[in-house]
Amino acid sequence: MRLIFMGPPGAGKGTQAKFVAEHFGVPAISTGDIFRANVTQGTELGIEAKRYMDAGEYVPDEVTNRMVRNRIDEPDAAGGFLLDGYPRTVAQVEELDGMIAFTGHRLDAVILLTADSDELVKRLLARAQTEGRADDTEDVIRRRQEVYLEQTAPLIDVYRDRGLLVEVDGLGEVDEVTKRIFTALAPVQES
């Protein structure tokens, strides 16, 4: 199964990705994790990415694409994968299309976790308190939501037009959301 998880900050993508990936026996691949691993390992791409990250800038598509390509080329991803945090731009969608086509497969589905923005702000503010994230203020959280909407709306339309978008309500208990995801994925055929 080759899946993408999308959704606004705080929608539970990371939590749900673990359950779904485990169910299908594929790795959950987060671009944040890829960046951190490459930086920690001091790879050429990691050093390049760190320059942008340290400056508070987005890592350019070219660097991100190469990191994702390297990660999905690893043996554990041969049977499929679940991407969280990639693609983020239409150019990255096109790059991912090429990566998957090269393997002789196709993308199976894009799960969009939806949630009320005010509920997400409450959830993220609670998480910030629990985890001691002083920089996660309401203004910062709402700005991240705006950026998400600006950047991902075009991707949502691309995947909806391709018939790959599966929208799932991301609010509620974790196990309830997981059940909704599996119900929504039941008719999806693996490539």
Side-chain angles (χ1 to χ4, degrees):
M1 190 67 88
R2 286 156 185 82
L3 304 168
I4 295 173
F5 259 44
M6 295 177 67
K13 295 181 302 295
T15 300
Q16 293 300 330
K18 290 175 190 155
F19 296 124
V20 174
E22 185 177 299
H23 174 81
F24 288 111
V26 298
I29 301 172
S30 155
T31 49
D33 291 346
I34 295 172
F35 288 156
R36 285 185 288 280
N38 275 272
V39 168
T40 301
Q41 295 166 13
T43 68
E44 181 184 326
L45 288 173
I47 292 166
E48 191 172 347
K50 190 174 186 317
R51 287 198 338 255
Y52 294 97
M53 293 161 62
D54 287 349
E57 297 177 19
Y58 283 118
V59 177
D61 282 358
E62 176 187 321
V63 176
T64 304
N65 291 340
R66 288 190 349 237
M67 285 187 184
V68 171
R69 181 183 302 275
N70 289 347
R71 178 61 186 95
I72 66 173
D73 281 347
E74 290 181 22
D76 69 333
F81 50 79
L82 187 156
L83 291 171
D84 171 8
Y86 183 91
R88 287 187 188 249
T89 65
V90 173
Q92 288 179 353
V93 168
E94 294 167 5
E95 184 70 22
L96 179 62
D97 288 345
M99 290 180 210
I100 296 173
F102 182 76
T103 68
H105 296 279
R106 62 176 166 71
L107 188 62
D108 297 308
V110 177
I111 297 117
L112 174 63
L113 291 179
T114 61
D116 176 75
S117 60
D118 290 334
E119 287 299 317
L120 290 180
V121 169
K122 288 180 197 171
R123 182 186 286 184
L124 290 171
L125 287 173
R127 183 172 82 181
Q129 272 191 324
T130 305
E131 297 178 8
R133 297 182 181 192
D135 56 335
D136 272 359
T137 64
E138 183 170 344
D139 288 344
V140 168
I141 291 167
R142 289 198 184 275
R143 178 62 190 142
R144 283 173 39 212
Q145 287 179 331
E146 289 170 11
V147 169
Y148 164 79
L149 288 173
E150 291 165 9
Q151 292 181 350
T152 58
L155 278 63
I156 292 168
D157 291 340
V158 165
Y159 288 125
R160 181 178 286 121
D161 291 348
R162 293 182 184 183
L164 294 173
L165 195 69
V166 177
E167 294 186 55
V168 176
D169 181 357
L171 291 179
E173 295 298 317
V174 172
D175 60 337
E176 291 173 17
V177 177
T178 305
K179 286 178 188 171
R180 284 185 215 134
I181 291 169
F182 287 132
T183 299
L185 286 176
V188 174
Q189 298 292 314
E190 295 182 41
S191 67

